[in-house]
Amino acid sequence: MPQLEFADYLPQLFWLAVTFALLYLYLAKKALPRVSEVLEERENRVIDDLEQAEKHKKESRSLEETYEKLIATARANAGKVLAESKVKITETIEAKQNKSNQAFASKIQQAEAKIEQARSEAMTEIEVISADACSKIVASLSGIKVSKTRATDAVQHVAKGQD
Amino acid sequence: MAGHSPLEQFAIKRLIPIDIGGLDISITNASLFMAVIVLLISVFMGGGMRRATMVPGRWQSMVEMLYEFISNMLYEAAGPEARRFFPFIFSLFMFILFANLVGMIPYTFTVTSHIIVTFGFAALVFLGVTILGFMNHGIGFLRLFLPQGVPMALAPLLIVIELISYLVRPLSLSVRLFANMMAGHTMIKVIAGFVATMGIFGVFPLAFIVALTGLEVLIAVLQAYVFAMLSCIYLNDAYHVEH
């Protein structure tokens, strides 16, 4: 069994000590600090990023609150303005309606007066024409001349009787 | 067929004989592979972190995972005080792991299949833990051999048992690794001999060797872990004497 060759022990132990010492020095002084450095850097980065995210979250939450407040104020203002303008508009409409109603009423009165006048004028004219026709008819039928006054009286009398 | 004995693969060959003052420190096939192992570990560790990025690639991930694995193991087994021995435990684990794995490649030499190498590591751990224990606790380190709350009548017996189990640690630690490595390689070699002698039926032992090789790779990793884990547990004694 080669493992029990005592003559081989010393060279193996010697080189084991040399190679293992070299490996230990390399790992302890260079390789492992490098790994821990990278791991630490990553951990710090992750922690930083998480903090940043938390900060952003808080910021967005406060922004949301501000936004909501603003919206609420704006909504209240809009309601107030709406109610005010409604009242104003109703008032204006009523005032204008009143004004135009009055204007119409006076115009109607004027027109009625005009119609009345025209009617009475027409009535008088009809009487004159009737009297004239009457006297002419009487003259051509009986040869009696009827004065204008009498004819007019007769016509008026007939018109009244027929009323 | 002396040259094809299953144990021939463990033979130490002097490649460059060196003799200093009657001490034989020749460069052998074993020292050659020790150097190869150290080189491979350096390339693995250095290459993985050479262009380290915030989001690691595969190679960098392997290095980082090994780092965190050993770091957690040491922390859980020996506590935060043992942190300064992390480079040692990591070197120990990597050396044994790479020695075992390199040994699985055909025609290579398995450094850890020699009892003197595994005993060298085990003795280093044992002596280190013992010295550290006395440095930390002074003579109080001897309380390790007498658990608290034990009846005085049992004390003599218990002290003897605890003392023996403590002193046998370097042996059990080194023999476990050495025996696993040697047995696996010998078995593969023996069965490989059947492949040649059985002709066409040699495919059966061949298939068995394939399966066995898979198992041996597993054992190679597992034994490296066991060795490092037990070292951590022993290290724990140097810091926490109370059971």
Side-chain angles (χ1 to χ4, degrees):
Chain A
M1 204 162 133
Q3 280 90 342
L4 295 178
E5 289 280 343
F6 295 112
D8 291 341
Y9 280 11
L10 187 61
Q12 285 196 80
L13 274 181
F14 176 78
W15 289 110
L16 179 67
V18 170
T19 51
F20 188 71
L22 284 176
L23 177 69
Y24 177 80
L25 284 177
Y26 171 68
L27 289 181
K29 299 289 169 217
K30 281 202 76 180
L32 293 177
R34 173 96 181 102
V35 179
S36 82
E37 187 183 292
V38 169
L39 287 177
E40 221 161 85
E41 209 171 287
R42 179 173 312 135
E43 202 174 326
N44 287 342
R45 176 74 181 276
V46 167
I47 289 171
D48 274 7
D49 284 2
L50 280 178
E51 272 172 7
Q52 203 79 1
E54 192 59 33
K55 219 172 90 187
H56 283 308
K57 208 170 149 188
K58 266 184 197 156
E59 250 168 48
S60 71
R61 203 169 286 155
S62 76
L63 273 180
E64 207 185 320
E65 271 168 21
T66 324
Y67 163 80
E68 226 124 78
K69 241 183 246 165
L70 276 177
I71 285 281
T73 334
R75 210 166 267 159
N77 277 348
K80 225 159 79 185
V81 167
L82 203 70
E84 272 172 14
S85 49
K86 230 182 209 167
V87 169
K88 236 185 230 171
I89 286 167
T90 326
E91 276 171 3
T92 324
I93 286 174
E94 271 172 5
K96 282 203 172 152
Q97 235 168 14
N98 283 348
K99 218 168 147 191
S100 55
N101 277 354
Q102 278 170 4
F104 283 141
S106 72
K107 268 191 183 159
I108 286 169
Q109 270 177 350
Q110 275 173 16
E112 271 174 356
K114 262 185 194 162
I115 288 168
E116 195 54 41
Q117 200 189 339
R119 203 170 116 182
S120 64
E121 266 169 20
M123 251 0 225
T124 358
E125 229 159 284
I126 285 170
E127 272 171 18
V128 171
I129 290 167
S130 307
D132 199 25
C134 187
S135 61
K136 270 182 185 161
I137 290 166
V138 170
S140 61
L141 283 180
S142 60
I144 300 165
K145 269 202 150 182
V146 182
S147 71
K148 226 177 196 172
T149 330
R150 270 196 73 181
T152 309
D153 280 348
V155 166
Q156 272 175 351
H157 179 77
V158 169
K160 265 180 195 156
Q162 280 178 343
D163 275 347
Chain B
M1 297 280 270
H4 290 284
S5 144
L7 295 181
E8 190 232 346
Q9 57 177 322
F10 303 118
I12 298 287
K13 296 177 192 111
R14 282 170 177 70
L15 305 176
I16 305 171
I18 302 175
D19 195 310
I20 293 178
L23 294 176
D24 180 16
I25 52 165
S26 308
I27 292 179
T28 63
N29 49 351
S31 25
L32 175 70
F33 275 96
M34 288 171 191
V36 167
I37 287 158
V38 170
L39 201 72
L40 282 177
I41 296 172
S42 307
V43 168
F44 174 72
M45 293 298 293
M49 303 308 286
R50 205 161 63 88
R51 257 171 283 143
T53 48
M54 214 27 100
V55 179
R58 282 176 208 166
W59 194 351
Q60 194 188 335
S61 277
M62 283 197 287
V63 176
E64 286 177 6
M65 278 161 76
L66 272 170
Y67 180 99
E68 289 184 324
F69 174 67
I70 301 296
S71 173
N72 288 340
M73 182 176 81
L74 179 64
Y75 185 86
E76 277 160 25
E81 307 96 323
R83 178 73 205 166
R84 64 196 186 99
F85 290 102
F86 171 67
F88 173 73
I89 296 291
F90 191 84
S91 308
L92 191 67
F93 174 77
M94 290 301 270
F95 193 95
I96 294 170
L97 178 71
F98 272 66
N100 293 352
L101 288 177
V102 165
M104 286 311 298
I105 302 168
Y107 297 108
T108 56
F109 180 84
T110 314
V111 176
T112 41
S113 68
H114 272 257
I115 180 76
I116 186 63
V117 171
T118 60
F119 186 77
F121 280 132
L124 186 62
V125 172
F126 176 78
L127 290 177
V129 166
T130 309
I131 292 168
L132 192 71
F134 278 115
M135 271 166 61
N136 284 347
H137 302 283
I139 202 75
F141 184 58
L142 292 176
R143 273 179 294 157
L144 190 66
F145 304 119
L146 184 63
Q148 277 176 331
V150 171
M152 266 302 142
L154 275 177
L157 184 66
L158 223 85
I159 288 173
V160 171
I161 292 173
E162 289 281 340
L163 195 65
I164 290 173
S165 81
Y166 185 79
L167 292 177
V168 91
R169 274 175 184 181
L171 266 181
S172 65
L173 193 58
S174 56
V175 169
R176 183 182 299 110
L177 177 58
F178 143 74
N180 265 290
M181 287 304 115
M182 188 187 145
H185 282 79
T186 309
M187 191 146 78
I188 287 179
K189 188 82 178 184
V190 168
I191 295 168
F194 294 156
V195 179
T197 53
M198 279 169 76
I200 187 71
F201 296 105
V203 292
F204 297 113
L206 187 65
F208 188 67
I209 284 183
V210 172
L212 200 62
T213 304
L215 181 71
E216 282 302 315
V217 171
L218 184 77
I219 289 176
V221 177
L222 193 72
Q223 285 305 321
Y225 170 66
V226 166
F227 201 102
M229 184 71 194
L230 284 172
S231 302
C232 290
I233 291 172
Y234 296 161
L235 199 56
N236 181 45
D237 286 340
Y239 286 101
H240 312 99
V241 171
E242 284 78 21
H243 277 270

